[in-house]
Amino acid sequence: LNLKKDGGAEMFKKYFVHTPFVIAKFPLHKKIKKDLLNQIDKSKGSPFKNKKGHMNDNLDKTDWPLSDNFKRPWVKKYGSVIGNFLTEQAMHLGFTQIDLSRLWYQQYKKGQTHGWHEHARNYTGVYYLEFPKNSEPTQFLAPQNLHQSFSLKAQEGDILIFPSFIIHRSAPMKINKRKTIISWNI
């Protein structure tokens, strides 16, 4: 972008590049699901509501405010297991290692949502730990057209990694079951 002395744009070129998403089955899902949910049920989480500006967040329980504390019991037990798998998946993005800076869970019940937002860092993601049938996966806004949304097919036990700048949300739960995800920034 070249700027004129008066601040106006002399030349502006727009480039669209593909950005990678990774979706993979977490091979230890069935082995750890029950105990991990039990650890989360016993953890120090709290409801989260945010109605400021464009936000419309309503979560049943989350430990996001503690996301940089890796001494929480569930994180001490399963953080490295999840982190090791994320490191393996990062190789598909061209990286040889990751820096897992934050790790947290979120739980939703019918009617609850986490509104449109983006994250810091390079990549973020979702582990669909408890994902009832007919739940909607994470929704994204297309970077080249913020009026166009899309989602990737996801099932319980899937891990999804995507660029942190992609605006995304957890759509309102339409069914009367609980959904539990684990999220991170890397």
Side-chain angles (χ1 to χ4, degrees):
L1 174 66
N2 294 325
L3 297 178
K4 294 180 181 178
K5 286 184 180 179
D6 65 3
E10 184 176 288
M11 182 174 76
F12 182 83
K13 291 185 180 182
K14 209 180 210 184
Y15 297 93
F16 292 104
V17 295
H18 295 284
T19 186
F21 284 62
V22 172
I23 191 163
K25 291 279 181 213
F26 185 37
L28 297 175
H29 172 70
K30 288 182 181 177
K31 184 175 179 180
I32 70 170
K33 177 187 173 183
K34 185 176 179 181
D35 185 55
L36 181 50
L37 283 170
N38 186 42
Q39 295 276 326
I40 287 171
D41 287 342
K42 292 189 285 187
S43 74
K44 291 183 179 180
S46 59
F48 180 80
K49 292 184 182 193
N50 182 10
K51 303 283 185 191
K52 294 177 184 173
H54 68 283
M55 301 305 290
N56 187 25
D57 298 329
N58 182 8
L59 286 69
D60 186 55
K61 185 178 176 186
T62 183
D63 67 347
W64 178 80
L66 306 171
S67 62
D68 60 351
N69 175 356
F70 285 77
K71 294 183 179 182
R72 291 166 287 155
W74 77 268
V75 176
K76 281 173 61 175
K77 189 166 185 179
Y78 292 108
S80 63
V81 172
I82 294 168
N84 289 341
F85 186 72
L86 294 177
T87 299
E88 289 176 27
Q89 298 312 304
M91 287 190 260
H92 297 293
L93 299 170
F95 298 98
T96 57
Q97 64 183 11
I98 65 167
D99 172 23
L100 183 60
S101 64
R102 295 187 176 272
L103 186 66
W104 69 95
Y105 68 82
Q106 295 181 179
Q107 292 184 313
Y108 305 86
K109 291 183 178 172
K110 188 173 183 177
Q112 295 182 324
T113 186
H114 187 62
W116 295 108
H117 65 284
E118 73 285 329
H119 291 240
R121 292 296 195 146
N122 299 80
Y123 286 87
T124 194
V126 178
Y127 167 27
Y128 297 98
L129 175 61
E130 185 177 39
F131 194 65
K133 289 186 189 270
N134 301 320
S135 294
E136 290 193 48
T138 306
Q139 295 177 330
F140 301 93
L141 292 180
Q144 70 278 12
N145 180 356
L146 297 179
H147 299 288
Q148 179 184 356
S149 66
F150 67 95
S151 60
L152 304 175
K153 290 186 180 189
Q155 299 175 345
E156 185 174 288
D158 284 350
I159 284 186
L160 172 62
I161 304 171
F162 55 92
S164 297
F165 70 88
I166 304 289
I167 300 170
H168 60 284
R169 76 173 184 162
S170 178
M173 281 287 287
K174 294 179 181 174
I175 59 175
N176 198 18
K177 298 207 175 193
R178 183 177 74 174
K179 175 173 83 171
T180 304
I181 61 100
I182 293 177
S183 193
W184 55 84
N185 289 333
I186 55 175

